[in-house]
Amino acid sequence: MERNAAALIDLAEKHSAHNYHPLPVVIASAQGAWVTDVSGHRYLDCLAGYSALNFGHGHPDILAAAHEQLDRVTLVSRAFHHDQFGPFCAELAELTGKDMVVPMNSGAEAVETAIKVSRKWGYLVKGIPAHEATIIVAEGNFHGRTTTIVSFSDDDTAREDFGPYTPGFVSVDYGDVEAIRAAITPQTAAVLIEPIQGEGGVVIPPEGYLRGVREVTAEHNVLMLADEIQSGLGRTGRTFACDHEDVVPDVYILGKALGGGVIPVSAVAADADILGVLKPGEHGSTFGGNPLACAVGRSVVRLLQTGAFQARAVELGEVLRAELDRLVGHGVVEYRVRGTWAGVDIDPGLATGRQVCEALLARGVLAKDTHGSTIRLAPPLVITADEIIWAIAQLRDCLADLGAR
Ligand SMILES: Cc1ncc(COP(=O)(O)O)c(C=O)c1O
């Protein structure tokens, strides 16, 4: 590693909390699917900011929208209207097929918003007695890092020392509709699920699960909340991962790619009978729905309206699947692919996910491990088929170096 990079990492080690364990690469610039470090080495980005960069680094349309807005007005707060807000909300509502949206910033804030809205809907519309509403969640979930959200996580690292925990959540097995049915009570306001569990290792539920959740929630007057923060906005080959089962949840929770890789933008989308429960002063954020975020978000919606990225995710996904398939039995135990998104389980006897990601880094590929020996691949959708083939060839060579046959 160049001294420059080492010195920069040292500064971060000394002066930032150690709440992350980044790979030892210091990125200085990026374009499309590639990033360049401070020493001029290039890496193929196969993480894409956990899908925040679905459209690649520096997409010209997104940058043009941001630049144009930067020169006009960037922040007014929600105390006033601005000319990007109404159009952004209307265009995002149209993309989701819902009446209205609540713009926020981070994904966790959007999840918190959905939780608050569900509880209030539960009291005002469903008639659940005050303070008794519950929300059903799934084992293995990842919805963010706030105190309420980690309260219903089963990841010890995320949760352990952060109690006391927020009550009102019931956790059931992921992928099991009957477990949800059994857990529903008159106090249940909502079921919150990821249509595909991203942090869990790109866990794709059994076919019919989303339809089953839709049916059982509708049957019991319970809201279905789909956290599409990582799975949505083109990643899986459809605008929303729920589309794969033709399921329309009551509430979409969106984030990551909505900000075009430029600025944090998240949102909750639902119909007026649900989001209409919010009244002035009950919820908000200084930065949520700011002019820059709305201008960027509008450019993202325009990119998704063409369907080109969704189609590309399908095509690239076939390449990814074909390439990964050859590695099974050669260091890879199993893999899951949906669109251009893969969870790859490395033979734990061979290496941890972290070790594989370090080896990939040395070969010019950025990827991220999750839970033990799983790595996930989520390259920007501007990547080419040849680049995917090259990336998986690097993975094959890394596994061979680690002793795979
Ligand atoms: C499904 C899901 N929900 C919520 C979040 C939290 O988003 P943020 O990190 O922007 O708060 C994430 C982040 O990885 C996620 O994958």
Side-chain angles (χ1 to χ4, degrees):
M1 195 191 306
E2 299 283 319
R3 249 188 94 225
N4 195 10
L8 291 165
I9 290 175
D10 200 42
L11 271 182
E13 284 293 302
K14 282 206 180 83
H15 300 292
S16 83
H18 295 177
N19 54 330
Y20 276 89
H21 182 30
L23 289 170
V25 56
V26 182
I27 295 162
S29 63
Q31 185 56 52
W34 291 85
V35 304
T36 306
D37 73 7
V38 287
S39 312
H41 300 127
R42 296 177 80 230
Y43 304 84
L44 186 59
D45 183 355
C46 287
L47 180 65
Y50 304 93
S51 290
L53 288 152
N54 279 358
F55 313 101
H57 295 271
H59 189 287
D61 294 11
I62 298 173
L63 284 193
H67 281 299
E68 209 259 323
Q69 193 60 40
L70 270 175
D71 290 336
R72 292 203 305 123
V73 56
T74 50
L75 188 66
V76 301
S77 86
R78 292 289 308 281
F80 314 110
H81 289 276
H82 62 79
D83 62 4
Q84 296 299 308
F85 187 78
F88 170 61
C89 294
E91 288 155 18
L92 183 58
E94 193 191 342
L95 185 81
T96 59
K98 298 294 185 188
D99 295 339
M100 44 173 77
V101 305
V102 186
M104 299 295 284
N105 310 283
S106 69
E109 284 175 299
V111 173
E112 289 275 352
T113 304
I115 291 169
K116 283 176 69 177
V117 166
S118 302
R119 286 179 170 180
K120 187 151 191 221
W121 174 89
Y123 301 129
L124 259 59
V125 181
K126 184 167 174 174
I128 297 171
H131 298 183
E132 287 184 17
T134 58
I135 294 176
I136 297 172
V137 299
E139 298 281 331
N141 70 70
F142 184 85
H143 297 283
R145 304 281 193 184
T146 63
T147 44
T148 286
I149 293 172
V150 300
S151 294
F152 57 84
S153 167
D154 46 73
D155 176 348
D156 282 346
T157 313
R159 182 178 198 273
E160 188 54 26
D161 290 325
F162 303 108
Y165 304 112
T166 307
F169 299 95
V170 177
S171 195
V172 301
D173 280 348
Y174 186 61
D176 185 349
V177 179
E178 291 316 310
I180 292 177
R181 190 189 302 279
I184 289 177
T185 70
Q187 279 73 30
T188 308
V191 172
L192 167 64
I193 51 157
E194 296 156 87
I196 293 174
Q197 289 189 330
E199 296 297 303
V202 192
V203 179
I204 303 171
E207 168 72 27
Y209 176 63
L210 300 175
R211 268 196 307 278
V213 176
R214 178 63 289 184
E215 279 162 21
V216 76
T217 48
E219 217 174 283
H220 290 88
N221 195 24
V222 166
L223 299 179
M224 176 179 180
L225 318 180
D227 181 347
E228 294 258 14
I229 286 170
Q230 199 164 157
S231 60
L233 309 184
R235 169 59 53 194
T236 68
R238 305 292 293 268
T239 304
F240 304 108
C242 283
D243 295 346
H244 289 279
E245 292 198 17
D246 293 323
V247 159
V248 178
D250 297 297
V251 175
Y252 287 106
I253 308 172
L254 305 173
K256 296 198 192 282
L258 193 55
V262 171
I263 182 169
V265 185
S266 66
V268 166
D271 280 338
D273 57 335
I274 299 169
L275 285 188
V277 300
L278 285 182
K279 297 287 177 283
E282 292 178 348
H283 192 61
S285 144
T286 303
F287 291 95
N290 70 70
L292 182 59
C294 289
V296 166
R298 292 183 73 190
S299 70
V300 166
V301 171
R302 280 195 294 274
L303 290 178
L304 286 166
Q305 274 163 345
T306 69
F309 281 94
Q310 295 89 325
R312 196 170 167 80
V314 173
E315 282 168 30
L316 294 169
E318 291 312 315
V319 177
L320 189 55
R321 183 188 301 280
E323 295 305 302
L324 284 173
D325 210 42
R326 295 188 223 196
L327 302 191
V328 175
H330 304 282
V332 169
V333 179
E334 195 188 294
Y335 69 92
R336 299 161 292 282
V337 172
R338 179 61 52 91
T340 311
W341 198 17
V344 184
D345 299 338
I346 307 295
D347 178 353
L350 202 62
T352 62
R354 172 79 186 190
Q355 286 166 327
V356 174
C357 290
E358 284 168 356
L360 280 170
L361 175 70
R363 289 180 173 275
V365 176
L366 300 186
K368 180 75 176 86
D369 56 298
T370 181
H371 301 299
S373 289
T374 300
I375 61 170
R376 68 204 129 151
L377 303 171
L381 303 176
V382 294
I383 197 171
T384 65
D386 284 348
E387 287 167 340
I388 288 183
I389 292 168
W390 179 79
I392 304 303
Q394 304 314 303
L395 176 59
R396 182 196 61 214
D397 291 351
C398 287
L399 295 172
D401 288 349
L402 289 161
R405 294 193 293 156

